[in-house]
Amino acid sequence: MLNPSSLINNKIDPTKTFSTLITGGFNKEAILFSQKMISENKWSVFCVYGKDGVGKTHLLNAIANAYGESGKKTIYIDAVQLIAKIFDNYTKSDIIQKIKSDLLEYDVIVIDNIQTFKNKEVTGLILEEIFKRGVIDGNKFILSSSIEPKKLPINKDLVNIISKGMVCEIYQPGHVDKKNIILKEIKTNNAYDLTPEAMDYIIANESDNNINKLLITLDKLSVYAHVDNIKLFSKLEVEKYISTHKNQIKSHMGVISVISNYFNVDSEELLSPSKLKTLVQPRNVCMYFLYTKFNLTLVNIGKIFSNRSHSSVLSAINKVKKLIKNNPAVMKQIDELSHSL
């Protein structure tokens, strides 16, 4: 059977469940219908759409985890990686056939970011065949898109298959939603608190209706709270730490905190000598950004990461540069992190 990591270098995130999902009026409908789909075995195709940063990926992982716990064979794929795999092998009929047949061995096929599907004849026909066969054979397709499915730049037959399923929009969070998110994060982390004025400032200036950006802002404040031993942020202090330093992070720990949060790994483990496979790529990405964007020397970066040699740091940076050129998924990760940092 197809191994998710070998096909697309991705897997279901076990930490992204319904219990850890940020909820509010903006995603209430999508959550309600996704849980109805799981409990009542409804709809062959389920698609959520909405702007970047509203929690689509978390919801898809939550659905995937729920199906997995119920005994369903489930796979999570990023559309960028799936398309790249198909495109790289479209002349090799045996490999394409294996991708299709192995993929359809899964009961539930979760595909994130389907707005990256393009109306290319070969890949479009392969995707259409996968969906048609899957719907007939009883597979479920759980999808996300940043644009409404009927506006996807793909062939009409595939648009029709997706649009005939259950389609839910996740809206941008409003003021009340953002306030509840901040209060929940503060309570969960128990690292610092905010005055009402500081909270209003963050909501007005540091979120852009994007949950991910809001969480990154709160994560940065957590780092500053730890470094400077701050228990309560006033509006002036938030402006000092966030607005004044908008295009830079106060210390290397800010970069590491943002990247460790993005990859869902512990920042202390990232700094440690540990050679766990799950830490290698996030650590390499940290070194890449500290060198290319924040101009730290190879020697200083090595000191930050448990006194690694400058040659091992350079090797890590070069590996990331190579992946950016050759792996669309890594290029997407670096682009997302660049905007966050």
Side-chain angles (χ1 to χ4, degrees), residues 81-215:
Q81 295 166 320
L82 178 60
I83 288 295
K85 193 69 176 180
I86 291 173
F87 188 78
D88 288 345
N89 296 283
Y90 74 90
T91 60
K92 304 169 185 175
S93 59
D94 56 332
I95 296 179
I96 291 297
Q97 187 56 42
K98 183 166 179 54
I99 290 172
K100 290 190 288 188
S101 60
D102 284 358
L103 192 60
L104 290 169
E105 283 294 314
Y106 287 87
D107 302 310
V108 182
I109 303 161
V110 182
I111 308 178
D112 205 358
N113 297 310
I114 63 168
Q115 73 277 358
T116 57
F117 286 172
K118 302 296 182 183
N119 194 16
K120 294 179 180 177
E121 185 176 355
V122 176
T123 53
L125 289 173
I126 292 169
L127 289 167
E128 183 184 332
E129 184 180 346
I130 290 171
F131 273 75
K132 282 183 174 179
R133 280 179 54 190
V135 170
I136 292 172
D137 293 344
N139 303 79
K140 281 192 181 296
F141 292 91
I142 314 300
L143 315 170
S144 82
S145 171
S146 63
I147 59 177
E148 193 174 358
K150 66 181 182 181
K151 297 178 181 177
L152 286 167
I154 53 178
N155 64 61
K156 290 182 179 180
D157 287 342
L158 189 51
V159 168
N160 287 336
I161 293 171
I162 296 171
S163 298
K164 285 179 180 177
M166 172 55 69
V167 177
C168 294
E169 182 175 4
I170 299 181
Y171 303 95
Q172 292 181 305
H175 184 94
V176 173
D177 292 318
K178 294 176 191 176
K179 186 173 183 178
N180 288 336
I181 290 168
I182 293 173
L183 290 171
K184 181 179 178 181
E185 288 298 303
I186 289 174
K187 183 178 179 180
T188 300
N189 296 323
N190 196 30
Y192 63 89
D193 206 345
L194 295 164
T195 65
E197 294 79 13
M199 193 178 300
D200 287 339
Y201 176 84
I202 291 171
I203 290 171
N205 298 280
E206 298 298 328
S207 65
D208 294 341
N209 296 317
N210 185 313
I211 294 173
N212 290 339
K213 184 175 179 181
L214 178 58
L215 293 176

Side-chain angles (χ1 to χ4, degrees), residues 212-224 242 248-267 270 282 285-286 289-290 293-294 333-334 336-341:
N212 290 339
K213 184 175 179 181
L214 178 58
L215 293 176
I216 287 170
T217 296
L218 297 176
D219 196 49
K220 288 178 183 178
L221 286 177
S222 181
V223 172
Y224 302 145
I242 300 298
Q248 60 181 348
I249 291 184
K250 185 181 178 184
S251 71
H252 62 262
M253 282 304 300
V255 180
I256 293 163
S257 177
V258 170
I259 294 174
S260 62
N261 183 60
Y262 180 89
F263 285 103
N264 196 37
V265 295
D266 187 89
S267 57
L270 212 56
V285 170
C286 282
F289 275 111
L290 289 173
K293 191 165 184 174
F294 295 90
Q333 289 175 345
I334 298 300
E336 290 176 345
L337 282 167
S338 292
H339 285 92
S340 299
L341 296 172

